[in-house]
Each structure stands twice: as structure tokens, then as C-alpha cells.
């Protein structure tokens, strides 16, 4: 007969791996079930790097969670010895009234975050790789940088395993049902019972959480790597920041220094310029016209960067209508089910603190972290 667990975690990507770690660290008997292998590249937790920043243009309400996430990333590095976070500095670039600049400034001022405002001349002087227009400015944040998603997931899985969690890969959940005071989860291999269920489904949210009432949209996104003209020297982290750059039409791109050696170039991507898909129908091929569009856009902002195309990779955003997260006790099963989903393309920097929040909700039914913004009831009746 299968053992009974305190908590079953569905999905062991970014959020699920962190949840498994935080739950098992508190002494819970944890089972983690993952559709694919460990640290896979089929969802949203891969690609070598993710931007992290604190002057958060999406909403100042995120800042306390970011401050805690930074603390937990540092702890994760100490506990595992893995390379997780690098704070190389970052710039949020655009016109002064753009969401990217004005929103970042609002958060920085509200939470008294260290920052500088740079005009176009100063931005070019400080970072010669960048070519802003005269009407563009930047908010510079020294504590911005990047985190490594694969290392983060691997570190959380490592700790969860060391703390006694049972982690089952290539064993997707087929269905679950209430069972007494808890839940029963079925897979093709077995059926498992637990007092609590945590669902971190990523791009599979529309299928696994149909009763949540949230109109999720899954988008195919592309990450590109280019070899800069003249080599990566000016793009090394000591010279070149991470950036989010919004043009006059509101199109945002984000990018990184050259962080993986001279042959792997620098990574860049459009932010929220994807195509609707499902995990089953996503086109994993990156086409020539897509590469040309990315290179053409970057040539106006970072002229050396398009250089030579190296490679590209796809991932998926799991969007809510307002692009804010969903982290909650399931409204239909508030005593036994916790969900964390809809991270809308900006969730990875929150992975450690989401794991902590999910553990709070599953084991205590509440959290001291401010998550009111993530209540799905706000989306009742919202169009996709």
C-alpha cells in the first residue's frame, strides 16, 4: 500500500521545487510528482538566466516579496554551493513616462530603494554598449542582476531530497479527488494520499485548474543568443548590465551580459510578444523571420549585439488577464488545496519566496507575506 504523505506537490519546476524544499525543511512528509525529468526544458524554468530586480514597474506591492526572495537566494547559494544569483546592476530604459521607467521609479521611491536616474548622455557614458535615443532615460539599480533557473531548480530539489522528500519524475498526475480529510492523487503508477495538495502547474494550469475560474492564456516566447560584433568583452557583467528597454511603441525587450563564456554570446528576448499556444501545440522551432525581427529591433538599441546569431530556445508564459500572480488556497477546496500559478512571465525572481508562501498556506492555512494582490477572485468574469 502506498504511504500517506503530509503534502503532495504537483509540478517540480521553479515554484514546485521551492515548495518541496520549504515544506520538507519544516518536517513535512512530502511527495513531489513531475511530468518530466528533473530540471527539464519543457516549461518555463530554463534558458540559463532570468532577470531579477527590485524597483518593480509591475506594482510596488511586489517589493517586499522581492526583498525576501533576495535573502532566500543568498541562503540557497550558501546551503548548496551552487551559482544562483549575480547582482551585476541593471537599467530600466525608456521615455520618462513609460511604464518601465515611471513604474520602476514609483516602486523605488515608495520603498526607498537605492537607485539613480540617468539621462541618455550619462547612460551612454556609463554603458557604452547601449545607444538610447535623446528622449530616453534609465533607472539604474545596482542590486539588479540575474538568477540561473536550472541551478535554482536543481538546488531546491537537492535540498528537498536531503530533507526526506520523495521526488518522482516522469510520473504525471492523471487526476486527484478529495479523500476524507485530505486528497488522493492518481498517476499511471499508483495512487497516493495526503492531508494537503499543492499544485504548481506552470503552463498546464488551464487543464489542471479548470475549476479555479481564472482565464489563463499560455504564450510561446523565444529567447535568443547573439555573438556581439567584436566579441563579448564589452558585454561582460563588469561592463554591461541587465536591462529592460521599452521603446516609443511600448515594445519591451530584456537582456543580459555575456555570462557563459566567449562562445555563447549574450541573451536577449522580447517581453510579452508571444503567440498563444498550449504545452501540446507549442512550436519549438524558431524561424528565420523571428530571428530577423529580434536582430532588427536590437540593432537600434545595442548596435553591437545582433552580430551573429548563435541559437534560440522557446519557453512558455502562463498569463493572467492582469499579469499578476495567483497564489491562494483553492476557493473550492480551501481546507486541502493550495495553488501557485499564472506567473505571467515575471515570476522566476520570486521562486524562493513563493516556496515559502506555499509552505505557509499548506501547513498553516495563512501566511504573513502580503499576497492580497494574488487572490483569484479579482479575476471573476475577466476575459482571457
Amino acid at each position: 500500500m502506498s504511504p500517506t504523505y503530509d503534502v503532495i506537490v504537483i509540478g517540480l519546476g521553479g515554484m514546485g521545487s521551492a515548495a518541496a524544499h520549504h515544506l520538507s525543511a519544516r518536517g513535512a512528509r512530502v511527495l513531489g510528482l513531475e511530468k518530466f525529468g528533473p530540471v527539464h526544458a519543457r516549461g518555463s524554468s530554463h534558458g540559463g538566466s532570468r532577470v531579477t530586480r527590485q524597483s518593480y514597474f509591475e506594482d510596488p506591492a511586489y517589493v517586499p516579496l522581492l526583498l525576501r526572495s533576495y535573502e532566500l537566494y543568498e541562503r540557497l547559494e550558501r546551503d548548496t554551493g551552487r551559482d544562483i544569483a549575480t547582482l551585476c546592476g541593471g537599467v530600466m530604459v525608456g521615455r520618462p513616462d513609460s511604464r518601465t521607467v515611471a513604474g520602476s521609479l514609483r516602486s523605488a521611491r515608495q520603498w526607498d530603494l537605492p537607485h539613480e536616474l540617468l539621462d541618455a548622455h550619462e547612460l551612454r557614458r556609463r554603458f557604452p554598449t547601449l545607444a538610447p535615443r535623446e528622449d530616453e532615460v534609465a533607472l539604474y539599480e545596482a542590486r539588479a542582476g540575474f538568477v540561473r533557473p536550472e541551478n535554482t531548480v536543481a538546488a531546491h530539489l537537492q535540498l528537498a531530497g536531503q530533507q526526506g522528500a520523495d521526488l518522482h519524475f516522469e510520473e504525471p498526475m492523471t487526476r486527484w479527488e478529495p479523500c476524507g480529510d485530505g486528497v488522493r492523487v492518481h498517476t499511471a503508477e499508483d495512487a497516493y494520499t495526503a492531508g494537503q495538495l499543492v499544485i504548481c502547474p506552470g503552463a498546464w494550469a488551464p487543464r489542471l485548474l479548470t475549476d479555479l475560474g481564472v482565464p489563463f492564456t499560455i504564450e510561446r516566447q523565444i529567447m535568443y543568443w547573439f555573438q556581439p560584433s567584436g566579441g563579448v568583452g564589452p558585454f561582460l557583467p563588469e561592463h554591461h548590465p541587465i536591462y529592460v528597454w521599452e521603446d516609443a511603441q511600448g515594445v519591451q525587450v530584456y537582456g543580459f551580459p555575456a555570462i557563459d563564456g566567449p562562445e555563447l554570446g549574450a541573451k536577449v528576448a522580447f517581453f510579452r510578444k508571444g503567440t498563444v499556444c498550449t504545452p501540446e501545440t507549442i512550436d519549438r522551432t524558431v524561424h528565420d523571420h523571428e530571428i530577423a525581427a529580434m536582430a532588427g529591433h536590437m540593432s537600434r538599441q545595442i548596435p553591437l549585439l545582433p552580430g551573429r546569431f548563435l541559437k534560440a530556445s522557446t519557453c512558455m508564459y502562463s498569463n493572467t488577464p492582469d499579469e499578476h500572480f495567483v497564489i491562494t488556497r483553492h476557493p473550492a477546496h480551501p481546507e486541502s488545496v493550495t495553488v501557485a500559478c499564472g506567473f505571467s512571465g515575471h515570476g522566476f525572481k520570486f521562486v524562493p519566496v513563493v516556496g515559502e508562501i506555499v509552505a505557509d498556506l499548506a501547513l498553516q492555512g495563512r501566511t504573513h507575506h502580503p499576497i492580497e494582490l494574488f487572490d483569484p477572485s479579482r479575476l471573476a468574469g475577466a476575459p482571457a
Side-chain angles (χ1 to χ4, degrees):
M1 183 175 180
S2 298
T4 297
Y5 295 91
D6 295 317
V7 188
I8 298 174
V9 178
I10 304 301
L12 293 174
M15 305 306 174
S17 64
H21 159 51
H22 282 280
L23 286 161
S24 56
R26 301 186 194 186
R29 294 167 296 165
V30 175
L31 169 64
L33 296 174
E34 167 58 49
K35 181 180 180 69
F36 302 107
V39 198
H40 63 83
R42 306 290 294 177
S44 306
S45 298
H46 61 282
S49 56
R50 291 289 186 275
V51 165
T52 190
R53 51 193 167 87
Q54 295 180 350
S55 300
Y56 217 59
F57 61 77
E58 286 84 350
D59 196 298
Y62 286 90
V63 174
L65 300 177
L66 287 161
L67 297 176
R68 178 57 176 161
S69 197
Y70 271 50
E71 294 173 351
L72 292 172
Y73 269 124
E74 291 178 7
R75 181 190 298 175
L76 190 63
E77 286 190 320
R78 291 195 305 269
D79 290 347
T80 64
R82 295 178 183 267
D83 178 13
I84 302 290
T86 300
L87 303 184
C88 59
V91 288
M92 310 302 123
V93 187
R95 291 180 173 180
D97 61 350
S98 66
R99 182 191 186 199
T100 301
V101 174
S104 298
L105 183 60
R106 177 187 173 203
S107 284
R109 288 174 171 169
Q110 180 169 327
W111 293 99
D112 196 25
L113 301 173
H115 67 283
E116 299 175 65
L117 279 177
L118 311 178
D119 62 18
H121 173 77
E122 180 61 15
L123 182 59
R124 287 191 294 267
R125 188 194 70 80
R126 186 95 55 104
F127 303 110
T129 50
L130 308 183
R133 294 163 48 101
E134 287 302 318
D135 62 348
E136 292 180 320
V137 300
L139 181 143
Y140 172 72
E141 180 187 326
R143 286 185 59 76
F146 60 90
V147 296
R148 295 188 176 272
E150 289 90 345
N151 286 5
T152 300
V153 174
H156 281 135
L157 293 176
Q158 172 190 330
L159 292 178
Q162 291 171 353
Q163 292 153 184
D166 289 340
L167 306 176
H168 294 193
F169 298 97
E170 308 287 347
E171 188 177 348
M173 177 184 71
T174 56
R175 62 186 176 91
W176 71 273
E177 62 206 9
C179 174
D181 293 332
V183 297
R184 178 179 289 113
V185 172
H186 298 264
T187 74
E189 306 296 326
D190 210 336
Y192 308 93
T193 57
Q196 295 289 321
L197 177 64
V198 168
I199 305 177
C200 300
W204 287 261
R207 182 167 64 83
L208 297 182
L209 293 171
T210 56
D211 58 346
L212 192 59
V214 175
F216 298 104
T217 301
I218 308 305
E219 285 187 349
R220 170 184 177 266
Q221 304 287 340
I222 308 172
M223 302 170 281
Y224 303 83
W225 286 258
F226 291 92
Q227 180 66 272
S229 301
V232 299
F235 289 82
L236 295 175
E238 57 265 35
H239 305 303
H240 183 79
I242 64 94
Y243 53 91
V244 180
W245 199 320
E246 181 177 343
D247 69 12
Q249 287 70 49
V251 176
Q252 291 174 304
V253 295
Y254 66 94
F256 302 83
I259 63 176
D260 291 316
E263 301 305 316
L264 295 181
K267 175 184 164 185
V268 66
F270 286 110
F271 189 35
R272 307 197 186 288
K273 196 179 179 183
T275 55
V276 174
C277 69
T278 71
E280 294 75 29
T281 63
I282 181 173
D283 182 0
R284 297 284 182 181
T285 300
V286 178
H287 302 279
D288 289 345
H289 72 272
E290 295 173 317
I291 298 167
M294 186 81 261
H297 189 97
M298 293 312 302
S299 67
R300 299 188 293 272
Q301 298 174 331
I302 307 180
L304 295 176
L305 181 57
R308 178 168 56 90
F309 171 71
L310 296 174
K311 66 174 182 175
S313 178
T314 58
C315 69
M316 289 178 283
Y317 286 2
S318 306
N319 297 325
T320 64
D322 61 5
E323 299 173 358
H324 295 309
F325 308 160
V326 172
I327 308 175
T328 186
R329 298 288 273 178
H330 195 303
H333 311 279
E335 300 304 318
S336 58
V337 181
T338 300
V339 298
C341 54
F343 290 96
S344 302
H346 62 113
F348 202 90
K349 58 185 72 66
F350 298 89
V351 157
V353 72
V354 170
E356 189 171 66
I357 291 167
V358 166
D360 289 345
L361 294 176
L363 298 180
Q364 304 166 15
R366 63 188 183 280
T367 182
H368 69 279
H369 290 294
I371 62 169
E372 293 80 10
L373 182 60
F374 311 141
D375 186 334
S377 64
R378 75 186 192 275
L379 298 172

